Amino acid sequence: MLKLKRKGIASLMLLGAISGIGFTTTKASALSSSATKYLTATQKTDNKPTTTSKKVDREFDKVGMSNLTALTLDGQNDTLPNAPATDVFYTTSAVKASNGASKTVTLGKGSVVSGTVFQKGTFTVYNSRLSKKNQSKVFKGLGTKLPGSAISTTNGTPLTKYTKNTAFANNGVRNLIDLQEKGLQSYFDTDCANNPFITVTSDNYLNYYTTSYKSGSNANYSKISQSVKIKKFTRGTSNYTYYLSKPLAGFGTTKTRVGKTYLYKLKVSLGHVFMTHDNFNHDADGFRITVNVGSKKFYAPLGNVAESYAYTLQGKTFAKFDSAKAKSYIQGLQS
């Protein structure tokens, strides 16, 4: 159990315009007609399965949703990554936070937060994963419309590992990482900055964001396009199943009877593994894995270990990580 002693006041600092999902982004308007033509041809080719692409998909499908986070991890110096790090905590005392200006907000004792603990007592927390109450408090109190923020203290942040198993987390690790919606530009390493994304909050809401730029590069994420309460969650090895209080429009949720009430079922599973390309010279570069969320398609970036195995299955080598170790790692995740 992690316990970091808190002395001092936290400050809430802006990190970026896209919820801290970890994707490099660019404005959609930057896409030229030649790039659109190239991406359209790339997508058309990718949509035609080959013996090799089917083999790659089969191998990664065996890993299953419960190990999606493990597929996104990087290995360093040919050393395999450990299990996904704890990224869900609750605060053991109130945390005062500011955006570096005069405004402050307080996350109360017992607030569930998700992020990463760094050295020197710095904790990065993402607003989009807070409870809806705390999200509203941060957005209104600090005047920010961005979902990515950092809490920083000089002498530590008061956190303890969150061990409850809910739709949000399983033993201190989120069940579902934030996912960006798959689109034409997703075949480029740099996807569009205002791409829709989906996340689960600490109070078990499934949130779907579809913002667009309002003025220049200023995006407003304080308004969620759809937010639906998760009433029941099944964490299977191959699939996740969410039972929602109401339909999630456009996702193909199905009405089903659960006990004495009706809920709306949404199944989440791994899908097609596809290659990304450099935005400028169009060289094949990396891999992403499709995540089927009902009838919509999202994606997650593969870490360098998973990428190495994907290249091996294509009969190629990958300089960033040892292929034999990568094969052992991925096959060890398979059910």
Side-chain angles (χ1 to χ4, degrees), residues 147-167:
S149 308
I151 293 177
S152 176
T153 62
T154 57
N155 296 307
T157 304
L159 301 173
T160 296
K161 179 179 177 179
Y162 186 77
T163 57
K164 290 183 179 179
N165 294 329
T166 67

Side-chain angles (χ1 to χ4, degrees), residues 73-119:
L73 301 180
D74 287 329
Q76 302 296 328
N77 300 318
D78 284 336
T79 300
L80 291 170
N82 294 319
T86 298
D87 67 351
V88 181
F89 308 87
Y90 69 86
T91 58
T92 54
S93 62
V95 176
K96 289 186 178 180
S98 82
N99 58 0
S102 58
K103 295 180 180 180
T104 63
V105 295
T106 300
L107 299 180
K109 178 181 178 180
S111 294
V112 180
V113 295
S114 173
T116 304
V117 177
F118 295 98
Q119 295 178 351

Side-chain angles (χ1 to χ4, degrees), residues 1 21 29 32 34 46 49 68 71 100 116 131 138 144 158 207 216 222 231 240 250 253 257 281-282 287 297 307 316:
M1 181 175 290
I21 298 175
S29 59
S32 66
S34 60
D46 185 55
L68 173 60
L71 290 178
T116 304
S131 69
V138 169
T144 179
N207 286 350
S222 63
K231 304 294 289 186
Y240 289 167
T253 50
R257 188 175 182 87
N281 57 30
H282 298 173
F287 288 90
K297 295 185 183 299
E307 284 186 319
K316 303 173 183 177

Side-chain angles (χ1 to χ4, degrees), residues 305-317:
V305 182
E307 284 186 319
S308 178
Y309 187 49
Y311 273 113
T312 298
L313 293 171
Q314 289 186 339
K316 303 173 183 177
T317 57

